[in-house]
Amino acid sequence: MPNASKVAAVEAIKGYLNGSVAALLTEYRGLKVKEMIELRDSLRGSSTEYRVLKNTLTGIAVRDVGYRDLLPLLDGPTAVAFVHGDPVQAAKDLAEFARTHPALVVKGGVLDGKVLDAESVRHLATLESRDVMLARLASLLQAPLQRTAVLLAAPLRQVATMSAALRDKLEESAGATAAGPAADPAEPAGPAAETADPEEPPAAG
């Protein structure tokens, strides 16, 4: 029988997963405590919580909420960025931090209830951020201030738009690969064939 603290820990992780717009899994092996603090600070702009988790408890939680495809990613020191704001901005911030701190590895995640692999998260980081998308939309529609405010308060619409954009980018990439150099130019192109660990990781070095 699992003890009460572990049961509570699993329930907490499930709450994080269900209460987030997106959850991006990372490995932080080699990051110093100071760098972890810097990473958390860099994610505040997208209202993202960066939590160190125990793999065994996280594995139970992801199975319970239907994200079994995340199980292979729970290897090594795991921390999850639970995004409550803009998932594109969170992915961009993680990618930028990983660029200057190679010890941080983004392994995949969940967006809009769909499991993403590492490549999909990299594509997500190349999309336009929520603020840019809304600015473009407001400009195109010549929306009054009240309508813009409504758009800013529509996270579900935002997630659907970002999910569609990510899907289109992945399909475009897959289509380019499938076409290959032998494609006949005369033919029209077809369709794209554990709970938060209370302790920070020890400082490395």
Side-chain angles (χ1 to χ4, degrees):
M1 289 274 306
N3 61 41
S5 63
K6 289 185 177 180
V7 171
V10 170
E11 290 302 315
I13 297 171
K14 289 162 62 176
Y16 300 147
L17 289 167
N18 290 327
S20 303
V21 174
L24 306 177
L25 275 67
T26 71
E27 181 175 325
Y28 60 87
R29 191 195 311 270
L31 286 181
K32 300 178 181 179
V33 172
K34 179 181 178 181
E35 292 170 332
M36 293 287 282
I37 294 172
E38 291 174 357
L39 175 55
R40 286 189 170 98
D41 288 344
S42 74
L43 293 169
R44 287 179 179 170
S46 58
S47 300
T48 297
E49 300 176 83
Y50 191 69
R51 294 181 175 270
V52 175
L53 303 177
K54 295 183 183 295
N55 288 338
T56 52
L57 301 180
T58 305
I60 297 171
V62 298
R63 275 192 293 264
D64 286 353
V65 297
Y67 297 146
R68 286 180 171 269
D69 289 344
L70 290 179
L71 291 174
L73 305 182
L74 299 176
D75 182 36
T78 300
V80 181
F82 293 103
V83 186
H84 302 288
D86 183 355
V88 170
Q89 188 59 52
K92 288 179 182 293
D93 292 339
L94 284 173
E96 177 59 23
F97 193 89
R99 186 182 67 81
T100 56
H101 300 78
L104 179 71
V105 178
V106 180
K107 301 191 290 185
V110 176
L111 172 66
D112 195 22
K114 297 178 177 60
V115 174
L116 308 177
D117 58 14
E119 183 63 23
S120 296
V121 177
R122 283 192 287 271
H123 278 296
L124 183 65
T126 68
L127 301 179
E128 291 182 334
S129 69
R130 174 176 181 266
D131 288 344
V132 172
M133 292 175 68
L134 290 176
R136 287 178 180 271
L137 184 58
S139 176
L140 287 172
L141 298 178
Q142 294 184 337
L145 185 59
Q146 285 184 332
R147 179 179 293 180
T148 303
V150 171
L151 291 173
L152 288 170
L156 292 179
R157 186 177 306 171
Q158 164 211 343
V159 171
T161 301
M162 290 176 179
S163 297
L166 176 60
R167 183 190 64 241
D168 292 345
K169 181 175 274 277
L170 290 173
E171 288 179 352
E172 178 182 340
S173 176
T177 302
D184 186 351
E187 293 294 331
E194 332 170 70
T195 187
D197 192 334
E199 297 181 359
E200 292 293 349

